[in-house]
Amino acid sequence: MKEHFAKLPSEEETQRSVQIFKAFGDYTRYKILYLLYERELSVSEITSEIGVSQSAISHQLKLLRQTGLVSGRRDGQRILYSLADKHIIMIFKQVKEHISEDDMSTHPSLKTWGL
């Protein structure tokens, strides 16, 4: 009997997926996403929370906007940033829940992958 494997995604879909995972894989960008999961923030508010220069935060926000994870809206003189849509919020919520479920060092899947 022939095994039936799932169809691989297109090159474009793979490329976009990898970019999203890369965005989550950077320490500063993850912190930004974490803060934006909680509420809308300006660049200066993010800067004061994370303790990184404003230009570094602006650069990371640009990458997050290009990836489609973050959006901004003008509020007078400033731009308020938030997670882009409900899908990103759901992904972030699931990551947070997964981390808090149990001690990751004893998680069975880590043993399966040799980690």
Side-chain angles (χ1 to χ4, degrees), residues 16-83:
R16 291 183 74 198
S17 298
V18 168
Q19 291 304 315
I20 288 172
F21 281 110
K22 280 184 181 180
F24 274 100
D26 177 84
Y27 193 75
T28 300
R29 287 192 297 265
Y30 184 84
K31 284 182 169 183
I32 292 169
L33 292 168
Y34 188 94
L35 290 172
L36 296 179
Y37 173 75
E38 300 296 328
R39 62 187 174 103
E40 285 185 317
L41 294 168
S42 67
V43 172
S44 60
E45 291 170 322
I46 295 169
T47 299
S48 68
E49 287 288 327
I50 295 179
V52 177
S53 72
Q54 187 168 346
S55 62
I57 295 297
S58 293
H59 175 73
Q60 297 301 338
L61 283 168
K62 177 183 176 184
L63 294 172
L64 290 168
R65 282 193 322 268
Q66 289 173 343
T67 310
L69 295 175
V70 167
S71 62
R73 69 172 181 87
R74 184 160 296 281
D75 181 40
Q77 295 279 331
R78 64 188 188 156
I79 297 176
L80 293 176
Y81 293 93
S82 61
L83 296 183

Side-chain angles (χ1 to χ4, degrees), residues 1-8:
M1 181 175 212
K2 184 178 177 182
E3 283 190 58
H4 191 56
F5 294 102
K7 182 181 174 191
L8 288 173

